[in-house]
Amino acid sequence: MTHLELREKFKEFFKSKNHFIEKSSSLIPIDDPSLLFTTAGMLQFKPYYAGIKKAPYTRAASIQKCFRLSDLENIGKTARHHTFFEMFGNFCFMGDYFKKEAIEFAWEFSTQVIKLPIERIYVSIYEKDDDAFKIWNEHIGIPKEKIVRLGKKDNFWGPAGDSGACGPCSELYIDMGEEKGCGKPDCFVGCDCERYLEFWNLVFNEFFQDVEGNLSPLKNVGIDTGMGLERLCYIIQGVESNYQTDVMKPIVDAIIKKLNVKYEDKNKTKINLIADHLRALVFVLAEGCVPSNEGRGYVLRRLLRRALKTANDLGHKGAFLNELTGAVINVYKDIYDYLPKEEENIKRILKEEENKFISTISAGMNKLYSVIEENKESKVISGKDAFMLFDTYGLPLDITEEEAADHGFTVDKAGFEEAMEEQKKRSRGTGEDKKSKFGYVENYETKYVGEEKDNLVNGVKAKIIAVYKENIVIVTDVSPFYGEMGGQVGDNGHLETSSKETIKVIDTQKKENTIIHILDNNNHAFNAGEEVTLFVNADRRNAIRKNHTATHILQRVLELTLGSHVNQAGSFVCEDYLRFDFTHPDSIPEETLINVENQVNEVVFKSMPAVIKYMPKEEAIAAGAKALFGEKYPDTVRILDIGNGFSVELCGGSHLTNTSEVGYFHIVSEGSVASGVRRIEAITGLKAAKEATVLFNKVKNLSSILNANKIDELTVKAENLQNEVKKLQKEIKQLKTSGASANSFIDKFEDLNGIRFYNLEFNEDIKEVRLYADTIKERVKDSIAIMISKTDTSNSILVQITGNALKEKKLSANNIIKDIIAVSGGRGGGKDTFAQGSIENTEKAKEEINKLKSKWL
Ligand code: SER
């Protein structure tokens, strides 16, 4: 049976049992910041079990794309583990059915639909679950010797992420034959070896586990089952492992062909690992993630580097993964129709990342070998070294660990994490520090009323509810001030007391629902309950709004221009400019950047409406709003819709009501901030218009200086000028080494028995002095030249020996310079013929030179 047929049979079966066939959700969990990836089929249904959300059906089944890192060490080595895999599952909410039906369904599908041989099936149950035992034994008829009771570690599942539904489980196993076993006398269900293969996990959700690990009974019990698609194919297709099933074999075969290796025992683990990682890379990249040094991006990087290192072990040197994406996509193109559309992008990202690593791998591995050599005694690679290998040489920790293990070494992982944490702390922006500064402010509910125009114009009456730091920090019941959040800076402005005293508000922060005003206040003592009127600096806010709405337009234009992999990686909006960080693997050519700027301005000039709407989260996501990157969102979300669907983004910030209010948009800079992340800084409104005028005038000035009539001519003229400068520089160099300037020093020597001794000092840069030394070398056969360069910024020295001074007197420039520096201070060295360095005290150097000279007479 092919995997395609198996998929159909599974769906048909559960449809006939009244299950709604749900689509696989994304590999990136939308609403669960505690998980990087979707690790199980139940993940998209988590809120239904917990009763946080009402399920639209009571039964569902799915074939879910999953990704797990928990089995990383086993990948390739065993027949059955993967990072990316697909999971068949049936699910039940609101207590519609429970253990008995779940077991019946699993049994019927296994024995009647796909006809697995009953005599080879075994089951495990949670050790205390007598109900499950009874159902298997009395109702289904499995003999008690084939039912194994296991502890919490094996037969209690969940929660996925930091909290959620969980409960005891029961697993179905199949005996793959004695020859697959470990041969130990107690080898049975639950053994780690390859004989008893677990293929279906039935979880009986009874509890909710909170983030602290406390269990409480669920209001409604639920069912969550999971069965690995690849494992089932392995069992049914009678092949030697998951890697030889019709899902994975085409990928394995493509690798064998490309690397020109045989699929024989000594290579299998490695080839399997590459196949697993290649498939996972294609799927995760297709979801818009890009390699980086954090989070999902780092997982991608690790997989790619591990695959390349493994190919390297198989004797393959260059990039190759990017050439094999077709092998993966071909298997899945009819199931996940978005894959072919993403292929070009995936290839490009892989290629760039592969090349990046290949250029560093040999340096990294060499450094690792020297670290191994240096620590032969302890046989431990310190956390600091492991981090240095990662940070400076790009070697992922698992590569270091694997190589270390091959040499009988261990790696201090805790030390590595510590070093990583240290670095993160160092590189964190000031934003967090600022927030943590207000830890002393208690939580209040301040009503934010700062989006209504009238409130900005007329001010808002508010009551003081808390005062801190000697009347400098205040909290009020209502406020039109926007507290710094979501990348938008906090407002400033002023307040008026009832006695008409004016006090400046210099910044606004937000902590939960508390708006915190920071004042420039020397005199006024506030009382709780006191009434004040709050006035936001409306001009500044307007400038901020322009930049914020422009950021949304820019994001959409970037998606349209560069591709759907563009995701926000950071954003900052203030009155002066906007900064937008986004995922994109390559540098952006200048023409593309100009095109982006033009497109943003087109949207500005089209005067599109910009409307704030509130809608259910699902609806917002369906309309195109991106809710990735592990943020937690409420059920009803606030969105900004620009141009009736042109750009729909979740946002809590302040915006314009029409794009024309941006006025004018201008990109000031573009560059890379981290691997795979680019940053654009831009300005808007009057500031952008003024900047354009300044630039225009500069061009005009330049044109008149260069005598250019048109802009195109200006470029040509500037280029010509540059070429001319280069030509002149060359000529100057020639002149300096030619006779004209040599005449000034070539005769200034002392004769040391036929050897010319030059003891010269120049107020010129050492680069020039080297040219003079070249002249001596060219013109004088036997010479010793010691030349000092003394400029305002540095003192340098060179020593050059030619001809007989070298051969007969056996002088060495390197020794001479070392002798001089030992007295004068400085650093330097070189060869017998030539040495160069810096000196601290030129007078002392000269004395030493004279002393040395007397030895050469
Ligand atoms: N959630 C369980 C698992 O992942 C069953 O689907 O094994």
Side-chain angles (χ1 to χ4, degrees), residues 39-43 49 66 68 85 87-91 157-158 160 165 169 171 198 200-203 205 223-227:
T39 50
M42 61 84 72
L43 221 78
Y49 292 113
C66 297
R68 285 184 187 176
F85 64 99
M87 195 190 268
F88 292 114
N90 57 296
F91 310 90
W157 199 90
C169 61
E171 292 169 318
E198 178 229 314
W200 205 337
N201 183 14
L202 319 178
V203 184
N205 278 328
I223 289 295
D224 149 31
T225 87
M227 170 164 59

Side-chain angles (χ1 to χ4, degrees), residues 77-112:
K77 293 183 189 153
T78 68
R80 61 189 199 276
H81 288 109
H82 293 298
T83 50
F84 171 87
F85 64 99
E86 289 175 284
M87 195 190 268
F88 292 114
N90 57 296
F91 310 90
C92 169
F93 324 105
M94 292 182 275
D96 185 5
Y97 66 78
F98 201 43
K99 288 184 197 180
K100 181 165 161 282
E101 294 83 349
I103 290 175
E104 280 171 355
F105 291 153
W107 188 251
E108 187 181 336
F109 183 77
S110 303
T111 59
Q112 287 173 38

Side-chain angles (χ1 to χ4, degrees), residues 117-137:
I118 293 177
E119 65 286 359
R120 281 170 56 200
I121 300 179
Y122 292 74
V123 295
S124 71
I125 55 167
Y126 179 49
E127 55 194 358
K128 295 181 190 150
D129 195 350
D130 294 333
D131 292 345
F133 180 83
K134 267 200 186 138
I135 299 167
W136 280 120
N137 184 237

